[in-house]
Amino acid sequence: MADKKLLGEILVENHLVTPEQLRLVLELQKTTKPHQTIGRFVVKQGFMTEADLQQVLERTGKRQRLEEICFRNGFVGKEDLLLAMDMARQEQLPLATVLKNLEFIDDEKAAKALAIQYDLPFLQIKSLHPFPALAKVVNQGYAKTHGMVPVSKTTELITLAVAKPLGAQELKELGRTIGLKVLQAVALESEIAAFQERLYGTGGAGANLPAPELEIRLDDGFLNRVDDEPEDEADVRQVTEKDSNLVKLVNKIIHDAYLKKASDIHIEPYPDREDVVVRIRIDGGCEDYLRIPYKYKYALPSRIKIMANLDIAEKRKPQDGKIDFKKFGPIDVELRVATMPTAGGLEDVVIRILQAGEPTPFAELGLTAKNREAFGAAIGNPYGLILVVGPTGSGKTTTLHSAIAQINRPQIKIWTAEDPVEISQRGLRQVQVNPKIGFSFAHALRSFLRLDPDVIMVGEMRDEETAGIAVEASLTGHLVFSTLHTNTAPDTITRLLEMGLDPFSFSDALQLILAQRLTRKLCDYCLEKYAPDQRELDGMIAEFGGDLLAAGSLRREEVTLARPVGCSHCSGSGYLGRVGIHELLLCTDDLREMIKKKADTVKIRKQAIADGMVTLKQDGMLKVLQGVTDMHEIRRVCIK
């Protein structure tokens, strides 16, 4: 009856995990990703290696059957599946081969089904950049023989994209040979072949690039206090930006910040003999990363300025530029650099890491069902003005791109003007503005109107000219998306009217305004659930300004909150990742009349709430009830 046992029971019986470890991964699965298998959580927690898991699955026959995966995930209809299974038995062919031959599934669905069957992630590698140093870790012959390719590497593990997963024994042997833990991800065979050509081919992209260091190691004692510290300021200035350890250090700072998913790096030199402080911003908050000996306080900013092609001799005024980091380090990322002269003849440097990538799925923006429905209906309109507002770093561009991805299809022509272009979408015509040469958002928007657009996205409404053209475009049959730096949705209406917009045109054009913030999520691995006492719950209800329990569809005795604890996954902070909180204002007929009369913000807010708007803080408190975050975070990002 062993085959009737669950995988978790088998792992415990064979002493591969402890009962406590199994309880932990079961709780994680239930609270984070119910669709993900137990095996994936066990490996992710480090309780088992990938090779050991694959060996258990092979020995116990606990792999899911391909036909079950295809049917349960909607890859194939029931009748088609039965036909393919019958043909596979008659022809003695693998079911996947028959399904593809009959064109019941395509290569991508077949690969996804294989990933589910082997309990592995599915990876799209066509947009990944191959680093030549990876070819030295896994040679070309082995990669081609086994239909796989290395795609990334850290100091401890290497990730392989595979068309068919390696067996447990092969995984162990490969890990011993290269001295690294091996992780597998299923990818399309065509993408693997193309990646192999770029990585190993003589004429591929990988062959023409310099081989950056994959592991950046500094000389021993580089950051320690040593005897060769300079005695005076003149000696400090003798340390140059060409110092080999300094070059490595800058690369390491950027590399580590990228891996930690930091958004910004702050380089802060201080006068006299104080250390240079390096801080990184993660999930919206700054934290200390490194202290560097003061002798590098001039050379460190100069090195970064050289990488950004800035004038290292100019230290009296701010400068800004960008770095294409693949020329210097092991990751392909674009950096924005800004310098600022500070006291004592020093310069601060702030580096913004542009996490370029695909748009976030619309369903993962964190919108409530009501807001998601209203927003989805608005972006389906043929014309009108849709605004997403909030402070810098609140995820406005991410939301806009997610919304546009919902309507992006060949029948619709979409132009975007951005600064910078961080998220790329196939089918969009994306333009980067450059105010230094007079190519502003207003210029781009005016030009778009001559290019037969259906949908226009303007990165930001910075002035009356841009806002005026956007309103005009939305009234002449175009759907216009844009952002604004305002605190709330009602504030946005007042701000635009104060800019000088015609209230009649503006009221006719406006469809909705979505205000948002990003708040830190509680770490799924260590959060602690608890039942709040009466005083805490009464305080939340009073702070909500309405019926909190009714809004959350809960009875008082059902309320369960969560609080941060801290673990290795979240570096002891208790928070991991961020989630959006939103305030959606729909422009109703009553609100249009108020805009025409230039009503003040208080009256607009009252009318919006009467029309059903949930405020930022209220939306955040509903997420507190769901155990996603806590009240400390909501109070931190919301004024009222």
Side-chain angles (χ1 to χ4, degrees), residues 218-219 221-226 228-230 236 239-241 243-254 256 265-280 287-304 346-347 349 351:
L218 304 175
D219 293 347
F222 171 59
L223 295 179
N224 297 331
R225 301 298 168 269
V226 291
D228 65 344
E229 286 193 350
V236 174
V239 181
T240 73
E241 62 279 353
D243 184 284
S244 61
N245 269 318
L246 181 65
V247 171
K248 292 180 183 178
L249 177 63
V250 172
N251 290 354
K252 180 174 173 56
I253 291 170
I254 294 169
D256 287 357
I265 304 167
H266 296 254
I267 313 291
E268 302 169 348
Y270 288 87
D272 302 324
R273 289 176 171 260
E274 290 191 53
D275 290 341
V276 179
V277 176
V278 180
R279 296 193 289 166
I280 57 178
E287 58 183 58
D288 284 345
Y289 162 73
L290 187 66
R291 288 180 175 270
I292 302 171
Y294 71 92
K295 68 178 180 178
Y296 294 101
K297 64 184 179 181
Y298 298 115
L300 183 57
S302 292
R303 170 60 189 166
I304 298 170
L346 301 170
E347 285 181 289
V349 180
I351 303 171

Side-chain angles (χ1 to χ4, degrees), residues 345-387:
L346 301 170
E347 285 181 289
D348 272 34
V349 180
V350 176
I351 303 171
R352 166 148 289 193
I353 302 172
L354 302 179
Q355 300 277 5
E358 299 291 321
T360 301
F362 191 69
E364 296 179 13
L365 289 177
L367 292 162
T368 62
K370 178 183 174 183
N371 285 346
R372 187 166 60 246
E373 182 180 353
F375 198 24
I379 63 179
N381 291 332
Y383 59 87
L385 180 63
I386 294 174
L387 299 174

Side-chain angles (χ1 to χ4, degrees), residues 186-199:
V186 177
L188 295 179
E189 191 172 354
S190 59
E191 292 187 6
I192 290 174
F195 200 95
Q196 287 175 341
E197 183 63 31
R198 286 185 286 151
L199 178 62

Side-chain angles (χ1 to χ4, degrees), residues 47 110 173 191 255 284 292 395 401 512:
F47 299 151
E173 290 177 1
E191 292 187 6
H255 182 258
I292 302 171
H401 270 281
L512 67 78

Side-chain angles (χ1 to χ4, degrees), residues 385-433:
L385 180 63
I386 294 174
L387 299 174
V388 179
V389 304
T392 300
S394 60
K396 300 186 294 296
T397 302
T398 298
T399 298
L400 282 183
H401 270 281
S402 296
I404 289 174
Q406 288 290 100
I407 59 175
N408 182 11
R409 54 184 183 271
Q411 294 79 15
I412 295 179
K413 183 63 177 280
I414 304 174
W415 283 95
T416 75
E418 304 170 66
D419 185 22
V421 176
E422 295 185 52
I423 299 173
S424 299
Q425 287 194 56
R426 188 174 182 82
L428 269 57
R429 307 311 299 150
Q430 296 178 261
V431 174
Q432 174 143 349
V433 300

Side-chain angles (χ1 to χ4, degrees), residues 124-142:
Q124 291 183 317
I125 64 173
K126 60 184 177 183
S127 60
L128 296 183
H129 184 80
F131 288 104
L134 288 169
K136 299 176 183 177
V137 183
V138 178
N139 67 52
Q140 181 178 1
Y142 186 92

